[in-house]
Amino acid sequence: MKKENITIYDIAKKAKVSPSTVSRVLTGNARVRPETTKKIKEIIDKNNFKPNGLARSLLYKKTKMIGFVIPDINHSFFSTLVLKSEAHALKMGYTSFLCNSMNNSEMESNYLQTLLEKQVDGIIFLGGRINEIETDPVYAEEMKRLMERIPVVFINGKMTGVDAHVVRTDEAYGIWKLVELIANHGHTKIGFLGGLKGISSTENKKNSFKLALNHQSIPVSEEWILGSDFSIESGEEAAAQLLNLKDKPTAVVCVNDFVAMGAINMFTKFGLRVPDDISVLGFDDIYLAKYYPPGITTVTQNYDMLGQTAVNVLVELIEGKEAPKETIIPTSLVLRNSCKVYRGK
Amino acid sequence: MKKENITIYDIAKKAKVSPSTVSRVLTGNARVRPETTKKIKEIIDKNNFKPNGLARSLLYKKTKMIGFVIPDINHSFFSTLVLKSEAHALKMGYTSFLCNSMNNSEMESNYLQTLLEKQVDGIIFLGGRINEIETDPVYAEEMKRLMERIPVVFINGKMTGVDAHVVRTDEAYGIWKLVELIANHGHTKIGFLGGLKGISSTENKKNSFKLALNHQSIPVSEEWILGSDFSIESGEEAAAQLLNLKDKPTAVVCVNDFVAMGAINMFTKFGLRVPDDISVLGFDDIYLAKYYPPGITTVTQNYDMLGQTAVNVLVELIEGKEAPKETIIPTSLVLRNSCKVYRGK
DNA sequence: CTGTTAGCGCATTCAA
DNA sequence: TTGAATGCGCTAACAG
């Protein structure tokens, strides 16, 4: 099936020149007589010849490839981020190699091996092991050994004992602004929904949530802090649990937009109107947040900046330059219709 | 920054053996004395050595990589499909290289070049040029030249003059069943929303829609066939146009779930209840279809089968075997709550 | 301006 | 069971 590979030798022979001359017109790195160039280009074109990138990369010790390890491309947050990152990487002259770890540490390890063998020039890492509050020393060790061989950038994560370059969303500030917004709307009974315990994003947000409540002199009610993960289902469950309580909050901050959607679903199902009876706030500003009725008030992730910065930092590292150890990407509120002034009892 | 590469020569030297012996323990393709093996393995491990995949691939003329050209990973349909395909490819021993063309033909061309240079073993192609009803001869030519060098599989598309292997969703049947469902629910005024003209998916679905109406002895009303693309916005627009009509349908089939969501939004906004006042049907069964209120009745794409089949066909081709030229992946109805019996006037 | 030579890292002959 | 030699396809250094 696969046609015999054409090489520069074949082209050289047909053009009656040496392989190096062909190579020269290919790279454009040296002057070749115009007529010769023209003849060679014609033959290249006629034979549909493409230089073998493997051979080239083997020589250069560079593949111009960036590896991405992410948990799940099927999640809006990651797919958007990857899309932006890929586009920017392309501008910087790099192609992207994507690996879906499905949040499975073993798959992460496998993919890291694969990326290393494929000789990618650098790796951008998201999710999984770098999101655990308690770093697993085995995986930390693996990561350190990896980093001895190749530049790595973490997005929204860290590992204790691993001194990596990291680019982070300012989750704390986002939550802070969300709480400020609700408080300004007169709410004093506020819950927090969703998020897996032990995952840094959850803990960061919960911590900021509590701090912000304190700052607003609003008491923290632990029984309004519910949820098991980051899915719509989790939002539904948490909301259902809330509905069983005698004393219910009038507003809930959700760990992300999916959880907010689930919460909205469940509240609506049980006759509560959002935002009239209860305000629901999200996080991430995924594509659907705008459309999901009633339109979710949320915090935008600044996907462009997040992706671009991560790629930029990695490229600096690849080129052997200095790069900031930690970059915080600002977040900002996106006001829509799932939050409303508290209208009293 | 980047550490000097360790090679089998370094390992060989430290182990006081020849490079070929190291190579042998690496591949396991030849017998090596157990003690020697052990010693070499220890040294490999201690030095964190990984064989260079580029060199290996150069030699084998195989990269065990599949290239995916898709329009936009940020769309649920594609991300789900890619996820399933990648998982299956991994089982078959292949890693996946993803390229987002953004439905831009020029980017498609660039990525095809890149994939060729990176020596992927085969390519799975979705969207863009293979979805145009009117094939652009320039791109068809490019595709043909590509296919002379490397196996290609199309998913849900084709190009006139290009004799490619293709795996297709049975869109026609899905639409047919949708119409049947609505007709059985007593609806006789049915519209079709969304879809870009000239794109095969749109035309296939519209054609099937009309045939199905005929079959049900329901008249086709062209003024109820509206929409400009595949987005939520398009659904909103189309629904708004429908609302301006004196005579309105009581059910609409949408080109996909996003359009259905937009339509539901707009109908709701103008006081129509879904499904009580109007039934709205989607297509694709994306993750959110289940949750988007009131829960969208739709057609599932059978993502697993679609992705697995495409990968299987491609692998057969890569291995030089025969493979079916066209495979149709069945679709089936997913009943939820956006469709209801017509309750008369 | 062009040809010859060498080597990137690996696996596979062929000998020993 | 092991070592030496060769070549995958390419480019850069060095001559000419």
Side-chain angles (χ1 to χ4, degrees):
Chain A
M1 167 82 207
K2 193 165 183 179
K3 268 274 195 60
E4 263 327 285
N5 284 327
I6 308 171
T7 73
I8 50 170
Y9 290 92
D10 303 320
I11 304 296
K13 202 169 292 173
K14 297 191 195 212
K16 300 198 203 324
V17 295
S18 80
S20 27
T21 305
V22 178
S23 172
R24 281 188 261 262
V25 335
L26 242 32
T27 61
N29 287 339
R31 355 199 61 248
V32 178
R33 191 161 17 123
E35 313 133 57
T36 317
T37 304
K38 183 155 169 281
K39 188 172 64 177
I40 292 177
K41 281 196 170 165
E42 273 168 9
I43 295 178
I44 285 178
D45 198 53
K46 199 171 69 194
N47 290 273
N48 196 14
F49 167 76
K50 294 286 172 305
N52 185 323
L54 266 60
R56 202 178 258 182
S57 292
L58 184 59
L59 198 57
Y60 286 157
K61 299 173 189 299
K62 272 186 206 158
T63 53
K64 290 303 220 173
M65 255 169 54
I66 293 178
F68 284 82
V69 178
I70 67 168
D72 183 355
I73 193 66
N74 207 14
H75 269 51
S76 233
F77 170 73
F78 297 113
S79 61
T80 308
L81 186 56
V82 162
L83 202 63
K84 304 291 189 184
S85 305
E86 180 185 354
H88 185 65
L90 219 48
K91 274 191 206 136
M92 306 289 286
Y94 289 82
T95 49
S96 301
F97 193 97
L98 204 64
C99 304
N100 286 293
S101 69
M102 304 314 297
N103 260 318
N104 175 325
S105 296
E106 204 184 327
M107 285 198 67
E108 282 178 3
S109 298
N110 289 337
Y111 270 128
L112 290 178
Q113 297 308 325
T114 303
L115 290 174
L116 225 38
E117 286 178 9
K118 294 201 179 303
Q119 309 291 120
V120 298
D121 294 337
I123 293 177
I124 292 182
F125 203 107
L126 293 93
R129 65 183 64 178
I130 71 168
N131 278 353
E132 313 275 345
I133 290 289
E134 300 278 347
T135 299
D136 184 324
V138 173
Y139 294 133
E141 184 55 33
E142 185 187 41
M143 188 63 79
K144 280 201 278 197
R145 297 187 73 175
L146 176 73
M147 288 168 58
E148 284 170 12
R149 311 202 55 68
I150 182 175
V152 176
V153 169
F154 290 177
I155 293 184
N156 286 352
K158 69 174 163 192
M159 298 186 88
T160 47
V162 178
D163 184 33
H165 287 253
V166 40
V167 179
R168 287 203 296 109
T169 299
D170 196 346
E171 296 177 321
Y173 183 75
I175 294 288
W176 186 273
K177 296 302 282 184
L178 236 30
V179 169
E180 192 175 86
L181 173 74
I182 314 175
N184 288 343
H185 278 31
H187 292 269
T188 53
K189 297 164 71 176
I190 309 175
F192 186 94
L193 264 37
L196 194 55
K197 277 200 183 58
I199 299 298
S200 53
S201 168
T202 308
E203 305 301 340
N204 293 344
K205 286 172 182 169
K206 278 187 187 170
N207 287 342
S208 174
F209 174 73
K210 290 175 185 174
L211 285 173
L213 286 190
N214 283 337
H215 181 73
Q216 301 285 347
S217 309
I218 296 174
V220 174
S221 176
E222 289 289 344
E223 63 175 354
W224 293 339
I225 301 183
L226 295 164
S228 52
D229 60 45
F230 302 93
S231 64
I232 298 185
E233 290 89 338
S234 170
E236 292 184 338
E237 278 170 33
Q241 291 172 43
L242 221 51
L243 288 167
N244 281 330
L245 264 32
K246 277 185 292 281
D247 191 27
K248 302 175 186 57
T250 63
V252 289
V253 173
C254 300
V255 75
N256 68 13
D257 290 336
F258 276 148
V259 170
M261 290 175 189
I264 291 173
N265 277 359
M266 192 52 73
F267 289 145
T268 307
K269 192 169 167 186
F270 281 86
L272 290 183
R273 287 160 308 162
V274 177
D276 300 87
D277 299 316
I278 187 163
S279 290
V280 178
L281 292 311
F283 204 105
D284 284 351
D285 192 25
I286 63 176
Y287 171 59
L288 260 137
K290 180 177 172 188
Y291 298 101
Y292 207 86
I296 299 172
T297 295
T298 185
V299 173
T300 179
Q301 280 275 359
N302 228 328
Y303 295 95
D304 266 307
M305 202 189 294
L306 193 56
Q308 285 180 24
T309 307
V311 170
N312 286 341
V313 169
L314 186 62
V315 170
E316 298 278 280
L317 259 28
I318 290 173
E319 292 173 352
K321 301 181 192 156
E322 289 295 311
K325 266 288 177 191
E326 181 170 32
T327 316
I328 313 279
I329 305 300
T331 49
S332 55
L333 237 43
V334 180
L335 299 176
R336 286 198 272 256
N337 308 314
S338 64
C339 178
K340 197 174 172 180
V341 171
Y342 177 59
R343 25 161 218 116
K345 195 52 196 171
Chain B
M1 168 81 206
K2 193 164 181 179
K3 270 274 195 60
E4 262 329 285
N5 283 328
I6 308 171
T7 73
I8 51 169
Y9 290 92
D10 303 320
I11 304 295
K13 202 168 291 174
K14 299 192 194 210
K16 300 200 201 329
V17 295
S18 79
S20 16
T21 305
V22 178
S23 173
R24 282 188 259 264
V25 335
L26 241 32
T27 61
N29 288 339
R31 352 199 65 248
V32 178
R33 195 166 8 130
E35 312 133 59
T36 317
T37 304
K38 184 155 171 280
K39 187 172 65 180
I40 293 176
K41 282 197 169 166
E42 273 169 9
I43 294 177
I44 286 178
D45 197 54
K46 198 171 70 196
N47 290 274
N48 196 14
F49 166 75
K50 294 286 174 303
N52 184 321
L54 294 170
R56 206 176 253 184
S57 292
L58 183 59
L59 200 57
Y60 286 158
K61 299 175 189 298
K62 272 185 206 159
T63 53
K64 291 303 221 170
M65 257 169 53
I66 292 178
F68 284 82
V69 179
I70 67 167
D72 183 356
I73 192 67
N74 207 15
H75 268 52
S76 233
F77 170 72
F78 296 113
S79 61
T80 307
L81 186 57
V82 163
L83 202 63
K84 302 293 188 183
S85 305
E86 179 185 354
H88 185 65
L90 219 47
K91 274 191 209 137
M92 307 286 288
Y94 289 82
T95 50
S96 302
F97 193 97
L98 205 62
C99 304
N100 285 292
S101 70
M102 304 315 295
N103 260 317
N104 175 324
S105 296
E106 204 183 329
M107 285 197 68
E108 280 177 3
S109 297
N110 289 338
Y111 269 129
L112 289 178
Q113 298 307 326
T114 304
L115 290 175
L116 223 40
E117 286 177 10
K118 293 200 180 304
Q119 309 291 120
V120 298
D121 295 336
I123 293 177
I124 292 180
F125 203 107
L126 292 92
R129 65 183 65 178
I130 72 168
N131 278 355
E132 315 275 345
I133 290 289
E134 301 278 345
T135 299
D136 184 323
V138 173
Y139 295 132
E141 183 56 32
E142 184 187 42
M143 188 63 81
K144 279 201 281 197
R145 297 187 73 175
L146 176 74
M147 288 168 57
E148 284 170 11
R149 311 203 55 68
I150 182 177
V152 176
V153 169
F154 290 176
I155 293 184
N156 286 352
K158 68 174 162 194
M159 299 186 87
T160 46
V162 179
D163 184 34
H165 287 252
V166 42
V167 179
R168 289 203 296 108
T169 299
D170 196 346
E171 297 178 321
Y173 182 75
I175 294 289
W176 185 273
K177 295 302 282 182
L178 236 31
V179 169
E180 192 175 83
L181 174 73
I182 314 173
N184 287 342
H185 278 31
H187 294 269
T188 54
K189 298 164 71 177
I190 309 175
F192 187 96
L193 264 39
L196 194 55
K197 279 199 181 57
I199 299 299
S200 54
S201 168
T202 309
E203 305 301 341
N204 293 344
K205 287 172 181 168
K206 279 187 186 168
N207 288 342
S208 174
F209 174 71
K210 291 175 185 174
L211 285 174
L213 286 190
N214 284 337
H215 181 72
Q216 301 284 347
S217 310
I218 296 174
V220 174
S221 177
E222 289 289 344
E223 62 175 355
W224 293 340
I225 300 183
L226 296 164
S228 52
D229 61 45
F230 302 94
S231 65
I232 297 186
E233 290 89 338
S234 171
E236 292 185 338
E237 279 170 33
Q241 292 172 41
L242 221 51
L243 289 168
N244 280 330
L245 264 32
K246 277 186 291 282
D247 190 26
K248 301 175 188 56
T250 61
V252 290
V253 174
C254 300
V255 75
N256 68 12
D257 290 336
F258 276 148
V259 170
M261 290 175 188
I264 291 173
N265 277 359
M266 192 54 70
F267 290 143
T268 307
K269 192 170 168 186
F270 282 87
L272 290 184
R273 288 160 307 163
V274 178
D276 300 86
D277 300 315
I278 186 163
S279 290
V280 178
L281 292 309
F283 204 106
D284 283 351
D285 192 25
I286 63 176
Y287 171 59
L288 261 136
K290 180 176 173 187
Y291 298 101
Y292 207 86
I296 300 173
T297 295
T298 186
V299 173
T300 179
Q301 279 275 359
N302 227 328
Y303 294 96
D304 267 307
M305 205 190 292
L306 192 56
Q308 285 180 23
T309 308
V311 170
N312 287 340
V313 169
L314 186 62
V315 170
E316 298 278 279
L317 259 29
I318 291 172
E319 292 173 351
K321 300 181 193 155
E322 290 294 312
K325 267 287 175 188
E326 181 170 32
T327 316
I328 314 278
I329 305 301
T331 49
S332 55
L333 238 43
V334 180
L335 299 176
R336 288 198 270 256
N337 308 314
S338 64
C339 178
K340 196 175 173 180
V341 170
Y342 177 59
R343 19 159 225 119
K345 193 58 201 172

